[in-house]
Amino acid sequence: MEFKRIIDENRETYMAELFEVLRQESISAEGRGIPECAELMAGKLKSAGIEDVEIIETEYNPVVCGEYHVSDDAKTMLIYGHYDVQPPDPLEEWVSPPFEPTIRDGRVYARGAGDNKGQIMAQILAVKTYIEAEGSLPINVKFVIEGEEETGSPNLPAFVEQHKEKLETDLVYTSDGPMLADGHPVVLLGVRGLLYVELTARGSQFDNHSGNKGNIARNPAWELMNLLSTMKDDNGRVLIEGFYDNVLPPTEKELELIDRLPFDLDDVSRNIGDDSIEFTKADYYRALCFEPTFNIAGFTSGYGGEGAKTIIPAEAKVKMDMRLVMDQDPDEIFERLRNHVEKHAPDVEVEKLGIMQPSRTSSELEFIEPIRRSAEKSFGREAFIQPSLGGSLPDAVWTKILGVPSVVVPYANIDEANHSPNENLVVEHFYKGIETTCRVISEIGELDQGYSI
Ligand SMILES: [Zn+2]
């Protein structure tokens, strides 16, 4: 493989390019270093041989776009990533400073090393490598690198909607998140969506003495708990009318894929920090990929400090998140939740704090197996296909707004510590990531000869 030789010859220069990007702060939550990083990414696309590069402004942070056009007849793959990072706090827990990339024990340590600069740079450098090896690409490649992923991609849906024509593609390819627990590569075919709400119950105008006002003042904590107990039964089934109406059952093929995935209950227990959980492999992946959650993320009311304080709280709040599966619509579920509250506790306020649509790509598509094979060959480990990620990503902008298939193939190690101090990327994963993307480009180019995506 010619491109393997080029990756080997350029190990140092490629790492230096990654270091340059990692040194540039780009904290979207604090608005730090954003335009500078967008410029830098645009420069990296150009130096990879992509001529058509544009920085497109949005309401907040600009999107960096690039296009390498071969021919109108060739297939097109759009690569998505983000150049923004999470704040590095708490700084004192970093062994080396977050924006001074450092290699220790075969890992690059820096904020953004895994999430997502290391992974998106692997994609950009793959294009560079391929062009150097073959003189051109066998397919059209487009890049969308946004600067707001770490704040929930608020402008991405509108951006994709506005630039539908420019972004036209046959498939979307993303490298983000970690690989499977024991270092196996995985091709993810979707994500769960999200509905985040806050419910507030109010009693008196202020906290009251629990003796002098006991049995007289209303207690909103009980009111909220009673309401919550009407929402879920003892088996964990959500009792909100219509909650499960649009849940799609897994297909035969998806169940087969689950059956092939690795599973070790001890590993799962260790990762969760609870050795009392019991799951079969089938139930574990079903619960993670195909079933919605109904989670209490936080409950706040009254006195939570040291010792005793005898009050009747004036207010109780609960934050809840629901991970939604295909074909649940977060806005519709919100309305159903609101109706439920209206019926059982009309005084409780319901506020929507955030939504994300679920997304799924059919496991039957031709290009999925070649992508799996590409990751397997590059990483030298058996690669798997997982029908959905348990978590959420703005993947629906591709599958629902653009209406194209989308896959996520993580290159980062499971312990990348993204969002935490000492974020890192295993050095070899960076190079293997470059190799994987090269192979994917080559394989999609092959498909182009006879198959359709
Ligand atoms: Zn992140």
Side-chain angles (χ1 to χ4, degrees), residues 82 86 115 149-150 176 418-419:
H82 63 94
Q86 287 277 324
D115 182 12
E149 199 272 349
E150 300 296 2
D176 202 359
N418 45 341
H419 298 205

Side-chain angles (χ1 to χ4, degrees), residues 69-329:
H69 188 79
V70 187
S71 127
D72 289 345
D73 300 327
K75 288 281 179 256
T76 304
M77 178 165 91
L78 187 150
I79 294 173
Y80 162 73
H82 63 94
Y83 65 83
D84 64 322
V85 298
Q86 287 277 324
D89 315 83
L91 281 174
E92 62 280 7
E93 287 185 25
W94 286 78
V95 175
S96 49
F99 296 103
E100 281 175 29
T102 308
I103 294 184
R104 283 194 307 276
D105 308 323
R107 293 170 187 238
V108 188
Y109 286 87
R111 172 55 87 228
D115 182 12
N116 177 240
K117 288 171 172 174
Q119 303 201 51
I120 189 65
M121 279 305 290
Q123 312 252 47
I124 295 173
L125 292 168
V127 168
K128 186 177 195 164
T129 302
Y130 207 105
I131 295 173
E132 206 177 314
E134 307 292 336
S136 178
L137 302 182
I139 55 170
N140 306 313
V141 170
K142 295 179 180 180
F143 278 91
V144 170
I145 310 172
E146 69 151 321
E148 300 179 351
E149 199 272 349
E150 300 296 2
T151 53
S153 303
N155 285 298
L156 191 65
F159 176 85
V160 174
E161 188 70 59
Q162 274 164 28
H163 297 89
K164 261 185 183 168
E165 229 164 273
K166 181 183 173 61
L167 304 179
E168 221 170 51
T169 185
D170 293 297
L171 82 138
V172 174
Y173 185 83
T174 303
S175 292
D176 202 359
M179 302 166 81
L180 295 179
D182 45 358
H184 288 288
V186 64
V187 179
L188 296 157
L189 301 182
V191 297
R192 284 199 285 199
L194 178 74
L195 169 61
Y196 205 113
V197 298
E198 182 171 71
L199 309 186
T200 307
R202 291 200 172 85
S204 313
Q205 287 164 1
F206 36 80
D207 291 353
N208 277 295
H209 190 287
S210 72
N212 297 341
K213 319 277 179 63
N215 287 345
I216 310 296
R218 282 165 49 205
N219 188 320
W222 277 117
E223 198 183 328
L224 196 53
M225 279 169 51
N226 290 340
L227 171 64
L228 291 172
S229 70
T230 65
M231 292 184 179
K232 215 174 182 191
D233 72 14
D234 291 347
N235 300 317
R237 181 113 186 134
V238 178
L239 300 172
I240 292 170
E241 205 184 311
F243 185 79
Y244 294 101
D245 276 5
N246 296 321
V247 173
L248 291 181
T251 64
E252 284 290 316
K253 171 90 183 178
E254 285 168 338
L255 291 177
E256 254 173 57
L257 291 173
I258 277 182
D259 198 43
R260 275 183 235 154
L261 283 163
F263 178 75
D264 178 351
L265 188 61
D266 290 340
D267 254 6
V268 173
S269 301
R270 220 179 358 261
N271 277 330
I272 290 183
D274 178 359
D275 54 17
S276 72
I277 55 167
E278 283 288 342
F279 272 101
T280 63
K281 177 158 89 174
D283 287 348
Y284 172 79
Y285 282 112
R286 253 177 192 269
L288 213 53
C289 298
F290 301 112
E291 286 166 19
T293 69
F294 194 78
N295 180 48
I296 294 178
F299 189 107
T300 330
S301 187
Y303 181 68
E306 285 281 300
K309 184 186 180 200
T310 45
I311 51 150
I312 302 165
E315 192 179 79
K317 276 178 186 288
V318 64
K319 286 184 193 284
M320 307 183 78
D321 64 76
M322 287 148 250
R323 301 284 171 168
L324 305 177
V325 296
M326 298 292 287
D327 246 344
Q328 289 177 300
D329 176 61

Side-chain angles (χ1 to χ4, degrees), residues 18-86:
L18 173 59
F19 270 36
E20 208 185 319
V21 172
L22 291 173
R23 272 190 205 108
Q24 174 60 55
E25 287 188 340
S26 53
I27 307 167
S28 48
E30 298 167 0
R32 277 203 348 236
I34 292 292
E36 294 85 349
C37 198
E39 280 293 339
L40 186 59
M41 294 312 293
K44 290 294 165 209
L45 288 173
K46 283 182 200 150
S47 84
I50 296 160
E51 278 152 25
D52 192 2
V53 176
E54 241 186 305
I55 296 178
I56 302 176
E57 297 299 327
T58 73
E59 211 178 313
Y60 300 116
N61 298 341
V63 179
V64 185
C65 288
E67 180 172 353
Y68 188 92
H69 188 79
V70 187
S71 127
D72 289 345
D73 300 327
K75 288 281 179 256
T76 304
M77 178 165 91
L78 187 150
I79 294 173
Y80 162 73
H82 63 94
Y83 65 83
D84 64 322
V85 298
Q86 287 277 324

